[in-house]
Amino acid sequence: MRWASVLVPSAEKRVLEAVADAHCYQVLRANEVEFEIVSTERTNIVDIRTRVCSCRRWQIYGVPCAHAAAALISCGHNVQLFAEPCFTVTSYRETYSQAINLIPSRNFWKGPGEGTDGGGAKADITIRPPKTRRPPGRPKKKVPRAESTKRPKRVVQCGRCHLLGHSQKKCTLSV
């Protein structure tokens, strides 16, 4: 009840960080709702009507990113008003306005078959696996992968000079 801002504290913190980062961007206006935000690394496109930024942070987190904040500030809009409605304090208060009851102790839990059918009869429900048919034809052979069966190459040794790397056929040593 003590929150006086438009957004909840976590969203408020993100918006303030975005506004602080927005000052280092150059804003180029394409039309009434589209902006090109230029930084040293890259250029981002922001559409404030559809709440879309090419970095995708605005869509993912629901809170305007630094690019969107730069575009909104250049228009004179309040950045906080462009966060998703679920981040507003009024939405938060509405969510928790009703009483939340405790979960009863495990002793009061109903066992299996003690449903709300009212009959009192215990219904034994067994879930069986789905029926499958074996495919026709001979099962395919499982061939091991070539990487797992690689053996080290055998080094050839000459029978005449006993040097490695060639055989007797290619030996240049005189007979």
Side-chain angles (χ1 to χ4, degrees):
M1 295 309 286
R2 287 178 276 151
W3 292 343
S5 64
V6 177
L7 300 176
V8 295
S10 59
E12 183 78 25
K13 181 182 173 192
R14 277 193 184 224
V15 167
L16 291 175
E17 288 172 358
V19 169
D21 293 343
H23 296 297
C24 63
Y25 296 126
Q26 179 187 1
V27 180
L28 304 172
R29 192 173 195 147
N31 56 40
E32 291 297 313
V33 292
E34 289 184 353
F35 297 85
E36 188 174 344
I37 312 300
V38 182
S39 68
T40 54
E41 299 93 38
R42 57 179 289 188
T43 301
N44 289 293
I45 308 297
V46 175
D47 187 342
I48 60 173
R49 182 179 18 146
T50 58
R51 299 178 185 212
V52 172
C53 180
S54 60
C55 75
R56 302 201 63 231
R57 286 190 193 105
W58 198 359
Q59 298 95 288
I60 292 170
Y61 298 116
V63 179
C65 61
H67 312 112
L72 291 166
I73 290 168
S74 73
C75 298
H77 290 297
N78 185 356
V79 180
Q80 294 177 338
L81 300 177
F82 283 83
E84 289 292 321
C86 63
F87 293 114
T88 61
V89 173
T90 54
S91 175
Y92 186 88
R93 286 183 182 142
E94 189 178 315
T95 301
Y96 293 104
S97 63
Q98 300 294 320
I100 300 172
N101 298 322
L102 296 173
I103 298 174
S105 133
R106 198 177 186 111
N107 301 335
F108 296 107
W109 291 4
K110 293 181 180 179
E114 296 178 30
T116 56
D117 54 53
K122 201 172 189 179
D124 288 332
I125 300 172
T126 54
I127 300 173
R128 307 283 308 152
K131 291 184 179 179
T132 57
R133 257 190 46 202
R134 217 177 84 214
R138 186 180 181 132
K140 289 193 173 162
K141 202 174 189 181
K142 290 183 174 72
V143 180
R145 291 202 156 267
E147 296 92 37
S148 62
T149 59
K150 277 190 178 176
R151 289 185 226 137
K153 274 192 166 183
R154 192 171 64 105
V155 180
V156 180
Q157 185 178 13
C158 179
R160 191 178 302 158
C161 66
H162 301 289
L163 293 175
L164 299 175
H166 66 276
S167 63
Q168 254 184 343
K169 270 187 179 180
K170 304 282 182 176
C171 189
T172 55
L173 192 69
S174 60
V175 178

